[in-house]
Amino acid sequence: MNDLVRQHTALSESDLEWLHLLVSEWQLLSDLSFADLVLWVPTRDGTRYVSVAQMRPNTGPTSYQDDMVGHLVPRGRRPLLDAALDEGRIVREGDPEWREEVPVRVESIPVRRDGRVLGVIARNTNLLTVRTPSRLELTYLQSASDLAQMIAAGSFPFPGQQVDMDASPRVGDGLIRLDADGVVQYASPNALSAYHRLGLASDLVGHHLGRTTDELAPARGPVDEAMVKLASGYAPRETEVEGSGGVIQLRAIPLKPKGTRIGSLVLLRDVTELRRRERELITKDATIREIHHRVKNNLQTVAALLRLQSRRMDSAQGREALNEAVRRVGSIAIVHETLSQNLDERVEFDEIADRVLAMVAEISPGKVVCRRTGKFGVLDAEVATPLSMVLTEILQNALEHAFAPGEEGRVDVSAVRSGDSPGTKRGDGARSDARLMITVQDDGRGLPEGFDPQRAGNLGLQIVRTLVEGELGGGFDMVPAPVRGTRVMLDIPVEPQK
């Protein structure tokens, strides 16, 4: 709609915003009218109309099989559009049109804002299935007529009340028509069922909706005047009401076809099951986070016990082995701590990598600097946990074996992701083409002569090989750095970032 309005018309940005507000609401008019709606706006030179939006009803058959958006028609071809635009009134004159052997009643509703007519809504009703209307249909049509008059007068939609139609109640979910005093004149079967679920034991017709709704909500002391006013339809508002048996969502729409409120429409939806599922999900999320929190605490307890044991050992070799175990446990605890703060099983690994760097750097005599470049990004928990251990082992190995005590040096960790563009995720359940390339490079003494990282018996390297190749399904290599030191390279498949 933005492109069509800016290309063909002279409307301002504020006028365009008004049309957007109207289009966000006009599903309501379409459903109440059992009719298609097409919004026509005069072109800049005034010789034609351009259709900028279209809506089909959920309550009846469509009268347009084709998409009308973008069509241009010359002025004079559709006299009802001309009359509505020029005279600023709703035009219903004329015989039904025949489209593909289907009779269609055409009406034109001027769209007014600040006293100016911006365009015209063509309301097209398929008459092929017309029959004697029921009380429900008569209520729909009368409400549609009131809304159409409000659009023609510029009092609908309501400024500052943009509605999310996907989340708001629709006409078919439940509809109540109130008089000017807030007393129910008509309630659809779905609306009555929703109130029965709240605990209403009688009919709604003849009752004051605001007071009835307040009585059905849990006792909160004095009467909730805000609830009473909202449910009585005095202002355009949305709310939820929770009773002993369920939850309903209410949306009030005051009807002022001639400037004075003659009553209100209340749309409502039974959202009991939806809210129950949301609460279950919240409970499950809280439980999962609590589990991660407890696992983190348990791992920290294990690390503390190992640390205590290492202090009591006389063997320097045994003490160092326990300290290595403390760091391995600590790297896993960092991941679980991060997961305990998230709503899903994905973590921002850059923070984890920085904490692992800081933890492992504690074993450095203070003259070796550790630095990270690039971004690991968001990783699944099943990748983050083993990767944190792998990173711990590689850094620990570099700090222990690459530098002599007191020697200055540097360890650089870089991360590069590829294949994160949309659509890289495969649909067969296998991993995507997204990769995470990690390089850990030091400027230390380098590898011993004839060293083979795939055969080395060092426990740390065995852990790295097992986790990278077995659990992460990636590749691992350790080679001499171009100038001095050692370079470790990891190639790991990951899920694309959203």
Side-chain angles (χ1 to χ4, degrees):
M1 184 166 73
N2 288 348
D3 293 341
L4 289 170
V5 168
R6 289 166 181 158
Q7 179 182 354
H8 294 286
T9 78
L11 296 182
S12 65
E13 289 298 316
S14 58
D15 291 335
L16 179 57
E17 284 301 314
W18 182 262
L19 296 185
H20 274 294
L21 189 60
L22 171 66
V23 168
S24 74
E25 292 272 27
W26 70 344
Q27 180 73 64
L28 174 64
L29 177 63
S30 178
D31 290 345
L32 290 172
S33 304
F34 309 98
D36 290 76
L37 306 178
V38 179
L39 177 57
W40 297 93
V41 180
T43 57
R44 191 174 286 105
D45 59 8
T47 61
R48 294 180 297 175
Y49 298 96
V50 58
S51 58
V52 298
Q54 179 178 1
M55 178 59 65
R56 292 183 172 89
N58 294 317
T59 51
T62 182
S63 57
Y64 280 117
Q65 297 300 325
D66 299 326
D67 189 353
M68 295 296 297
V69 175
H71 281 217
L72 290 161
V73 297
R75 185 178 171 88
R77 179 175 294 179
R78 300 194 177 183
L80 296 187
L81 294 182
D82 298 339
L85 183 69
D86 296 339
E87 301 172 22
R89 63 181 180 88
I90 298 175
V91 181
R92 296 190 175 93
E93 297 87 353
D95 297 327
E97 296 181 3
W98 287 83
R99 299 175 187 164
E100 299 180 359
E101 300 183 354
V102 175
V104 176
R105 181 174 64 241
V106 181
E107 304 166 87
S108 295
I109 304 167
V111 177
R112 192 183 303 273
R113 174 180 180 262
D114 294 339
R116 297 179 298 114
V117 177
L118 306 182
V120 178
I121 295 176
R123 181 164 56 177
N124 304 271
T125 306
N126 187 325
L127 300 178
L128 197 61
T129 58
V130 169
R131 53 187 172 81
T132 304
S134 63
R135 178 75 188 280
L136 172 70
E137 291 165 329
L138 288 172
T139 303
Y140 277 18
L141 293 171
Q142 180 57 54
S143 302
S145 176
D146 294 335
L147 284 178
Q149 292 182 58
M150 291 170 65
I151 292 173
S155 58
F156 186 84
F158 304 109
Q161 293 289 326
Q162 183 124 13
V163 174
D164 181 1
M165 291 307 298
D166 291 331
S168 292
R170 294 180 179 245
V171 169
D173 296 326
L175 178 142
I176 297 175
R177 174 85 185 214
L178 308 178
D179 64 14
D181 297 322
V183 176
V184 178
Q185 294 180 308
Y186 175 80
S188 72
N190 285 346
L192 193 57
S193 296
Y195 265 84
H196 283 165
R197 189 159 189 176
L198 279 185
L200 181 70
S202 61
D203 195 0
L204 270 173
V205 176
H207 290 77
H208 189 279
L209 186 66
R211 288 193 288 270
T212 301
T213 303
D214 187 71
E215 291 169 1
L216 294 172
R220 296 180 299 276
V223 173
D224 188 340
E225 293 296 337
M227 173 70 73
V228 171
K229 285 189 176 182
L230 189 147
S232 301
Y234 288 104
R237 293 287 186 274
E238 284 194 35
T239 191
E240 284 191 5
V241 179
E242 183 169 359
S244 57
V247 184
I248 61 173
Q249 182 182 12
L250 295 177
R251 182 189 176 201
I253 303 170
L255 296 176
K256 304 176 181 179
K258 296 182 180 179
T260 303
R261 193 173 71 86
I262 63 168
S264 305
L265 275 184
V266 177
L267 304 180
L268 63 144
R269 174 190 295 163
D270 185 345
V271 292
T272 305
E273 290 304 312
L274 179 62
R275 296 296 175 258
R276 181 184 64 80
R277 290 183 191 135
E278 287 178 352
R279 287 167 184 164
E280 286 181 354
L281 287 174
I282 291 172
T283 301
K284 288 178 181 177
D285 287 340
T287 302
I288 291 171
R289 289 200 300 272
E290 179 63 20
I291 289 171
H292 284 303
H293 181 70
R294 294 190 182 189
V295 169
K296 182 262 296 184
N297 288 344
N298 291 339
L299 289 171
Q300 289 180 336
T301 301
V302 171
L305 292 173
L306 291 173
R307 201 175 291 114
L308 284 173
Q309 186 65 39
S310 72
R311 292 172 184 165
R312 294 175 177 268
M313 293 195 70
D314 297 328
S315 168
Q317 186 177 2
R319 193 161 47 249
E320 182 56 34
L322 286 176
N323 287 335
E324 287 182 3
V326 167
R327 287 187 284 273
R328 287 168 185 148
V329 172
S331 67
I332 302 174
I334 290 172
V335 177
H336 281 281
E337 182 179 5
T338 306
L339 287 169
S340 70
Q341 300 167 1
N342 290 348
L343 292 176
D344 56 20
E345 292 291 290
R346 290 170 68 82
V347 296
E348 182 65 56
F349 197 80
D350 294 324
E351 178 186 350
I352 294 174
D354 291 340
R355 294 182 64 180
V356 168
L357 276 168
M359 178 183 67
V360 176
E362 293 177 1
I363 68 172
S364 170
K367 295 187 177 181
V368 178
V369 178
C370 297
R371 187 181 65 176
R372 173 181 67 86
T373 58
K375 287 186 173 292
F376 289 84
V378 178
L379 300 176
D380 291 337
E382 62 183 14
V383 173
T385 301
L387 182 57
S388 68
M389 283 196 66
V390 167
L391 195 57
T392 300
E393 295 298 333
I394 295 174
L395 290 168
Q396 190 168 277
N397 187 71
L399 292 172
E400 285 184 358
H401 301 295
F403 306 99
E407 183 181 2
E408 294 184 357
R410 195 168 82 180
V411 178
D412 291 317
V413 179
S414 68
V416 177
R417 293 184 69 125
S418 62
D420 273 332
S421 58
T424 59
K425 189 171 182 179
R426 289 166 57 180
D428 56 3
R431 281 204 181 276
S432 70
D433 295 330
R435 315 290 297 185
L436 175 60
M437 311 294 294
I438 304 169
T439 303
V440 181
Q441 182 170 317
D442 63 68
D443 58 358
R445 62 172 64 105
L447 297 171
E449 189 70 29
F451 179 82
D452 184 358
Q454 303 302 327
R455 296 177 179 271
N458 177 287
L459 176 61
L461 289 181
Q462 288 180 6
I463 292 174
V464 170
R465 284 198 304 269
T466 301
L467 292 177
V468 172
E469 297 173 359
E471 192 161 339
L472 295 175
F476 158 71
D477 199 8
M478 180 182 285
V479 298
V483 179
R484 183 171 184 263
T486 304
R487 174 181 289 176
V488 180
M489 295 172 291
L490 306 175
D491 179 7
I492 300 170
V494 293
E495 291 294 336
Q497 295 191 96
K498 297 179 181 178

